[in-house]
Short mmCIF file of all heavy atoms in Angstrom, two decimals:
data_model
loop_
_atom_site.label_atom_id
_atom_site.label_comp_id
_atom_site.label_asym_id
_atom_site.label_seq_id
_atom_site.Cartn_x
_atom_site.Cartn_y
_atom_site.Cartn_z
N PHE A 283 44.37 99.69 117.80
CA PHE A 283 43.26 98.88 117.33
C PHE A 283 43.79 97.51 116.85
O PHE A 283 44.84 97.43 116.24
CB PHE A 283 42.53 99.56 116.19
CG PHE A 283 41.41 98.74 115.60
CD1 PHE A 283 40.21 98.65 116.27
CD2 PHE A 283 41.57 98.09 114.41
CE1 PHE A 283 39.17 97.87 115.75
CE2 PHE A 283 40.55 97.34 113.87
CZ PHE A 283 39.34 97.23 114.55
N SER A 284 43.04 96.47 117.15
CA SER A 284 43.40 95.12 116.65
C SER A 284 42.14 94.32 116.37
O SER A 284 41.05 94.60 116.87
CB SER A 284 44.30 94.38 117.65
OG SER A 284 43.62 94.18 118.88
N VAL A 285 42.31 93.30 115.52
CA VAL A 285 41.24 92.37 115.17
C VAL A 285 41.68 90.99 115.62
O VAL A 285 42.82 90.58 115.37
CB VAL A 285 40.96 92.39 113.67
CG1 VAL A 285 39.91 91.32 113.30
CG2 VAL A 285 40.49 93.77 113.24
N ARG A 286 40.76 90.28 116.26
CA ARG A 286 41.07 88.94 116.82
C ARG A 286 40.00 87.93 116.39
O ARG A 286 38.83 88.24 116.40
CB ARG A 286 41.11 89.04 118.34
CG ARG A 286 41.43 87.75 119.06
CD ARG A 286 41.52 87.97 120.56
NE ARG A 286 42.72 88.73 120.87
CZ ARG A 286 42.98 89.26 122.03
NH1 ARG A 286 42.13 89.13 123.04
NH2 ARG A 286 44.10 89.94 122.24
N VAL A 287 40.46 86.73 116.04
CA VAL A 287 39.57 85.60 115.81
C VAL A 287 39.80 84.58 116.92
O VAL A 287 40.91 84.52 117.45
CB VAL A 287 39.74 84.96 114.42
CG1 VAL A 287 39.35 85.94 113.32
CG2 VAL A 287 41.16 84.47 114.22
N ALA A 288 38.76 83.83 117.24
CA ALA A 288 38.91 82.81 118.29
C ALA A 288 38.02 81.62 117.95
O ALA A 288 37.00 81.74 117.28
CB ALA A 288 38.54 83.39 119.65
N PHE A 289 38.45 80.45 118.47
CA PHE A 289 37.68 79.22 118.34
C PHE A 289 37.77 78.47 119.65
O PHE A 289 38.85 78.32 120.21
CB PHE A 289 38.20 78.36 117.21
CG PHE A 289 37.49 77.04 117.11
CD1 PHE A 289 36.27 76.96 116.45
CD2 PHE A 289 38.03 75.89 117.65
CE1 PHE A 289 35.58 75.76 116.38
CE2 PHE A 289 37.37 74.69 117.57
CZ PHE A 289 36.14 74.62 116.92
N HIS A 290 36.61 78.02 120.15
CA HIS A 290 36.55 77.25 121.41
C HIS A 290 35.73 75.99 121.21
O HIS A 290 34.76 75.97 120.45
CB HIS A 290 35.85 78.09 122.51
CG HIS A 290 36.62 79.30 122.87
ND1 HIS A 290 36.48 80.49 122.18
CD2 HIS A 290 37.49 79.54 123.87
CE1 HIS A 290 37.27 81.39 122.73
NE2 HIS A 290 37.91 80.85 123.76
N ALA A 291 36.08 74.97 121.94
CA ALA A 291 35.28 73.74 122.04
C ALA A 291 34.95 73.55 123.49
O ALA A 291 35.81 73.72 124.37
CB ALA A 291 36.07 72.54 121.50
N GLY A 292 33.70 73.21 123.79
CA GLY A 292 33.31 73.09 125.18
C GLY A 292 32.02 72.33 125.36
O GLY A 292 31.48 71.74 124.43
N ILE A 293 31.54 72.39 126.60
CA ILE A 293 30.30 71.71 126.93
C ILE A 293 29.30 72.72 127.49
O ILE A 293 29.66 73.72 128.12
CB ILE A 293 30.51 70.58 127.95
CG1 ILE A 293 31.18 71.10 129.24
CG2 ILE A 293 31.38 69.48 127.34
CD1 ILE A 293 31.25 70.09 130.36
N VAL A 294 28.06 72.44 127.21
CA VAL A 294 26.93 73.25 127.73
C VAL A 294 26.14 72.36 128.65
O VAL A 294 25.91 71.19 128.36
CB VAL A 294 26.10 73.87 126.61
CG1 VAL A 294 25.44 72.82 125.76
CG2 VAL A 294 25.13 74.89 127.12
N ASP A 295 25.76 72.88 129.84
CA ASP A 295 25.10 72.02 130.82
C ASP A 295 23.61 71.81 130.57
O ASP A 295 23.05 70.85 131.06
CB ASP A 295 25.35 72.55 132.25
CG ASP A 295 24.83 73.95 132.45
OD1 ASP A 295 24.31 74.58 131.53
OD2 ASP A 295 24.97 74.45 133.59
N GLU A 296 22.96 72.67 129.82
CA GLU A 296 21.55 72.47 129.47
C GLU A 296 21.47 72.56 127.96
O GLU A 296 21.29 73.63 127.39
CB GLU A 296 20.69 73.53 130.12
CG GLU A 296 20.63 73.42 131.65
CD GLU A 296 19.77 74.49 132.29
OE1 GLU A 296 18.91 75.06 131.60
OE2 GLU A 296 19.95 74.73 133.49
N SER A 297 21.59 71.41 127.31
CA SER A 297 21.78 71.38 125.88
C SER A 297 20.52 71.36 125.03
O SER A 297 20.61 71.42 123.80
CB SER A 297 22.66 70.19 125.49
OG SER A 297 22.03 69.00 125.89
N GLU A 298 19.35 71.31 125.64
CA GLU A 298 18.12 71.15 124.82
C GLU A 298 17.92 72.29 123.82
O GLU A 298 17.39 72.06 122.73
CB GLU A 298 16.88 70.95 125.69
CG GLU A 298 16.60 72.07 126.70
CD GLU A 298 17.33 71.92 128.01
OE1 GLU A 298 18.01 70.91 128.24
OE2 GLU A 298 17.24 72.85 128.82
N ASN A 299 18.34 73.50 124.14
CA ASN A 299 18.16 74.62 123.20
C ASN A 299 19.18 74.61 122.06
O ASN A 299 18.96 75.21 121.01
CB ASN A 299 18.22 75.97 123.93
CG ASN A 299 17.05 76.18 124.83
OD1 ASN A 299 15.97 75.63 124.61
ND2 ASN A 299 17.23 76.95 125.89
N LEU A 300 20.30 73.97 122.29
CA LEU A 300 21.36 73.97 121.29
C LEU A 300 21.54 72.64 120.57
O LEU A 300 22.28 72.54 119.64
CB LEU A 300 22.69 74.41 121.90
CG LEU A 300 22.71 75.87 122.39
CD1 LEU A 300 23.99 76.15 123.16
CD2 LEU A 300 22.62 76.81 121.20
N GLY A 301 20.90 71.61 121.05
CA GLY A 301 20.87 70.35 120.32
C GLY A 301 21.89 69.29 120.73
O GLY A 301 21.79 68.17 120.32
N TYR A 302 22.90 69.68 121.55
CA TYR A 302 23.92 68.70 121.94
C TYR A 302 24.73 69.28 123.08
O TYR A 302 24.81 70.49 123.26
CB TYR A 302 24.82 68.34 120.76
CG TYR A 302 25.53 67.03 120.88
CD1 TYR A 302 24.82 65.82 120.92
CD2 TYR A 302 26.90 66.97 120.94
CE1 TYR A 302 25.48 64.61 121.01
CE2 TYR A 302 27.59 65.77 121.06
CZ TYR A 302 26.86 64.58 121.08
OH TYR A 302 27.52 63.38 121.17
N THR A 303 25.38 68.40 123.84
CA THR A 303 26.19 68.83 124.97
C THR A 303 27.50 69.50 124.53
O THR A 303 27.96 70.44 125.12
CB THR A 303 26.49 67.65 125.91
OG1 THR A 303 25.25 67.08 126.32
CG2 THR A 303 27.26 68.08 127.11
N ILE A 304 28.10 68.96 123.45
CA ILE A 304 29.35 69.55 122.94
C ILE A 304 29.00 70.66 121.98
O ILE A 304 28.22 70.46 121.03
CB ILE A 304 30.22 68.47 122.26
CG1 ILE A 304 30.61 67.39 123.26
CG2 ILE A 304 31.45 69.08 121.59
CD1 ILE A 304 31.30 66.20 122.67
N GLU A 305 29.60 71.82 122.18
CA GLU A 305 29.31 72.98 121.32
C GLU A 305 30.65 73.69 120.97
O GLU A 305 31.59 73.64 121.75
CB GLU A 305 28.43 73.99 122.05
CG GLU A 305 27.04 73.48 122.34
CD GLU A 305 26.14 73.35 121.11
OE1 GLU A 305 26.30 74.16 120.14
OE2 GLU A 305 25.26 72.46 121.08
N PHE A 306 30.65 74.30 119.81
CA PHE A 306 31.83 75.03 119.33
C PHE A 306 31.46 76.53 119.23
O PHE A 306 30.38 76.85 118.72
CB PHE A 306 32.26 74.51 117.96
CG PHE A 306 32.53 73.03 117.97
CD1 PHE A 306 31.56 72.13 117.50
CD2 PHE A 306 33.71 72.53 118.49
CE1 PHE A 306 31.79 70.78 117.51
CE2 PHE A 306 33.94 71.15 118.53
CZ PHE A 306 32.98 70.29 118.04
N TYR A 307 32.34 77.38 119.72
CA TYR A 307 32.09 78.82 119.70
C TYR A 307 33.21 79.50 118.91
O TYR A 307 34.38 79.33 119.25
CB TYR A 307 32.02 79.38 121.11
CG TYR A 307 31.75 80.88 121.17
CD1 TYR A 307 30.53 81.39 120.82
CD2 TYR A 307 32.78 81.74 121.57
CE1 TYR A 307 30.28 82.76 120.86
CE2 TYR A 307 32.54 83.10 121.64
CZ TYR A 307 31.30 83.62 121.28
OH TYR A 307 31.07 84.96 121.32
N SER A 308 32.85 80.22 117.88
CA SER A 308 33.86 80.97 117.11
C SER A 308 33.45 82.44 117.12
O SER A 308 32.28 82.77 117.23
CB SER A 308 33.94 80.43 115.68
OG SER A 308 32.67 80.41 115.08
N SER A 309 34.45 83.31 117.06
CA SER A 309 34.17 84.74 117.15
C SER A 309 35.16 85.58 116.34
O SER A 309 36.27 85.15 116.06
CB SER A 309 34.18 85.19 118.60
OG SER A 309 35.46 85.00 119.20
N LEU A 310 34.69 86.78 116.03
CA LEU A 310 35.48 87.81 115.39
C LEU A 310 35.32 89.06 116.24
O LEU A 310 34.19 89.45 116.52
CB LEU A 310 35.03 88.05 113.95
CG LEU A 310 35.67 89.20 113.19
CD1 LEU A 310 37.14 88.91 112.94
CD2 LEU A 310 34.92 89.45 111.88
#
């Protein structure tokens, strides 16, 4: 068993639902 954290920076091609083209994704 392991626990992982992650952080990403990227672009979304249809940004109207998220508010901007550049988006950050973090996860546990």
